[in-house]
Amino acid sequence: MKKQVWIQDVLEAIEGKLYKVAERSPGIIPYTTVDGIFDDTSKSSICWWTNGFFGGMMWQMYHYTGKELYRERAISVEEKLDENLIIPDGMDHDSGFKWLPTAVAHYKIDGSWQSFRRGILAAENLAGRFNLAGNFIRAWNDSNDGSRAGTAIIDCMMNLPLLYWASEVTKDPRFSQIAIRHADMAMKYFIRENGSAIHIGEFDPATGEFLRSVGGQGYADGSSWTRGQAWALYGFVLSALHTGEKKYLETAKRVADNFILQASKRPDMGVSIDFDQPLDCKREDSSAAAIAACGLLELGKFDEKYSEAALKLLEFLVENRLSLDENTDYLLSNCADSFWSNREQMTLIYADYFLVEALLRLMDKDLPIFKSKKEMTIE
């Protein structure tokens, strides 16, 4: 009971702030903040990969409170993203991040036919990126020189739920078949023996041969970029819940065990940007902690130790990194988009989204955006 009261108090404070943020933020799609105030990627980068998260946070708040302003702001983001749907170079593997929290969330709430069509268009495009030879979904686009044709990244595990959803609502198994093949590929090539994950994998796009791992947003090639670990943790448990496949659940547990072990080495600090960064480097990434907490809460359905680990992460974030100052727009500080970025300890919209999702899930009041309403039984 004490835990529920604490979480309820935090959620009420966050909702009070977010309502004021929504009031002063009509028509924007934020990525980060400048002097505490949201920027607007709808004017500069309509195809940016994070453009669904503000809409998703608004849908979570609408689902929680029923307040119409949140619904209006969420629909504004969804409608603005229509421009992205008709830009071929702007359609990449992150369609799940953009249209699950917007169009698919809208469809789940009220059955909007227009939102359904947006979600299916995005899913069709994502499915079309599947490389038959290598069983992977191609990550990024390029300038028609083929240089990125064989690239896949661990982040895409979180985009697979768009394909699972499309199969569920259309009764067409091809979407989930593609998702399953990509998840099997990632399990084989992206998850190391110790449960850590590589960020970027390169394949020969013609033969499907795995060529190498490539250092990405972490400290170095071969290191453990923590947000990548969080994507893997949450992504594999989501694949388990969508398919009922125990192998994905076991993989998620391996990644989670490693994440918990590595994070425990900094008990009084936030989660590092990379678990292998130099010992004297104190930089952290609150977004990795929030994402991991969401995945750990799902794993907690199978073993309570994961729920306990999630609660520890969330308690740290709320006590040390949460801003309830109503004159600023962000929730979480001390985030990082990359270890090598010159923008240290920034704010990031997806950190805020996953914090809200996790706290609502603790109260069993979250909207299942990345999850299905009908979870498969895992034997």
Side-chain angles (χ1 to χ4, degrees):
M1 180 60 70
K2 286 179 66 178
K3 181 176 76 172
Q4 286 189 332
V5 170
W6 169 77
I7 297 163
Q8 186 67 48
D9 288 346
V10 172
L11 278 171
E12 288 179 4
I14 287 175
E15 194 279 321
K17 172 172 178 168
L18 287 180
Y19 194 84
K20 292 183 181 299
V21 172
E23 281 183 317
R24 61 176 178 256
S25 306
I28 71 164
I29 303 180
Y31 170 60
T32 185
T33 56
V34 179
D35 296 327
I37 304 302
F38 279 143
D39 61 356
D40 184 7
T41 59
S42 70
K43 295 179 180 178
S44 59
S45 305
I46 194 59
C47 301
W48 190 237
W49 73 274
T50 66
N51 282 355
F53 288 110
F54 183 68
M57 190 162 63
M58 294 295 99
W59 279 126
Q60 292 287 5
M61 285 292 101
Y62 175 75
H63 180 72
Y64 177 52
T65 68
K67 295 180 180 179
E68 188 63 23
L69 178 64
Y70 292 128
R71 176 186 174 89
E72 292 172 4
R73 295 294 183 261
I75 291 175
S76 172
V77 173
E78 179 183 348
E79 291 176 344
K80 282 197 168 191
L81 286 178
D82 283 352
E83 181 183 349
N84 188 174
L85 276 172
I86 59 171
I87 301 175
D89 288 348
M91 297 296 292
D92 55 26
H93 73 126
D94 282 323
S95 289
F97 281 140
K98 287 182 273 190
W99 283 281
L100 278 168
T102 54
V104 175
H106 189 180
Y107 173 74
K108 287 181 176 181
I109 283 177
D110 65 14
S112 166
W113 176 241
Q114 187 69 9
S115 297
F116 174 86
R117 294 196 295 178
R118 289 177 174 122
I120 294 300
L121 274 173
E124 291 278 12
N125 188 277
L126 182 59
R129 302 184 68 81
F130 186 67
N131 181 292
L132 294 171
N135 288 323
F136 66 88
I137 295 172
R138 173 180 172 171
W140 302 301
N141 302 316
D142 51 39
S143 302
N144 298 318
D145 62 0
S147 60
R148 287 183 162 182
T151 301
I153 67 174
I154 194 62
D155 313 42
C156 195
M157 287 300 302
M158 288 295 297
N159 290 302
L160 300 186
L162 179 63
L163 299 178
Y164 294 128
W165 168 80
S167 271
E168 182 182 319
V169 296
T170 65
K171 311 304 179 187
D172 186 340
R174 65 194 171 97
F175 295 106
S176 60
Q177 288 166 353
I178 288 170
I180 287 168
R181 289 193 178 189
H182 182 92
D184 287 346
M185 176 283 302
M187 191 168 58
K188 179 178 180 180
Y189 292 113
F190 279 70
I191 305 304
R192 303 186 185 106
E193 281 281 319
N194 67 355
S196 67
I198 69 170
H199 180 199
I200 301 173
E202 285 191 357
F203 296 79
D204 183 318
T207 67
E209 178 189 1
F210 180 75
L211 301 176
R212 65 184 69 86
S213 68
V214 181
Q217 288 160 261
Y219 174 63
D221 183 22
S223 65
S224 296
W225 174 52
T226 54
R227 180 149 49 91
Q229 316 311 299
W231 292 142
L233 192 169
Y234 196 8
F236 274 106
V237 72
L238 288 170
S239 277
L241 294 173
H242 278 286
T243 66
E245 288 284 351
K246 187 175 182 179
K247 60 186 177 182
Y248 301 144
L249 178 63
E250 294 305 315
T251 300
K253 287 180 177 179
R254 283 176 55 213
V255 177
D257 289 341
N258 182 68
F259 192 101
I260 293 168
L261 173 65
Q262 297 300 328
S264 69
K265 296 177 181 178
R266 291 179 61 169
D268 301 321
M269 304 285 290
V271 171
S272 305
I273 301 176
D274 193 301
F275 286 135
D276 296 311
Q277 68 193 40
L279 293 176
D280 60 351
C281 178
K282 304 303 182 185
R283 296 177 63 198
E284 61 186 281
D285 184 7
S286 296
S287 75
I291 297 160
C294 290
L296 288 166
L297 288 175
E298 291 304 309
L299 282 177
K301 297 173 180 177
F302 306 95
D303 189 326
E304 189 176 349
K305 74 175 184 179
Y306 297 116
S307 295
E308 293 172 355
L311 192 58
K312 286 182 181 179
L313 288 173
L314 293 170
E315 286 174 343
F316 176 86
L317 291 176
V318 167
E319 293 172 7
N320 300 280
R321 301 295 180 253
L322 174 63
S323 170
L324 294 174
D325 180 357
E326 294 182 353
N327 294 311
T328 62
D329 291 344
Y330 67 91
L331 295 178
L332 286 180
S333 65
N334 291 48
C335 302
D337 56 356
S338 167
F339 182 86
W340 297 105
S341 172
N342 58 9
R343 296 182 290 182
E344 290 194 21
Q345 307 307 272
M346 59 194 298
T347 65
L348 292 165
I349 189 60
Y350 49 89
D352 294 354
Y353 169 81
F354 284 108
L355 174 70
V356 168
E357 180 184 285
L359 292 173
L360 287 171
R361 185 165 301 157
L362 280 169
M363 299 295 292
D364 198 27
K365 294 182 178 180
D366 61 309
L367 175 67
I369 286 179
F370 289 89
K371 300 190 296 179
S372 170
K373 291 183 179 179
K374 299 182 293 183
E375 295 177 2
M376 299 291 289
T377 300
I378 303 172
E379 300 295 341

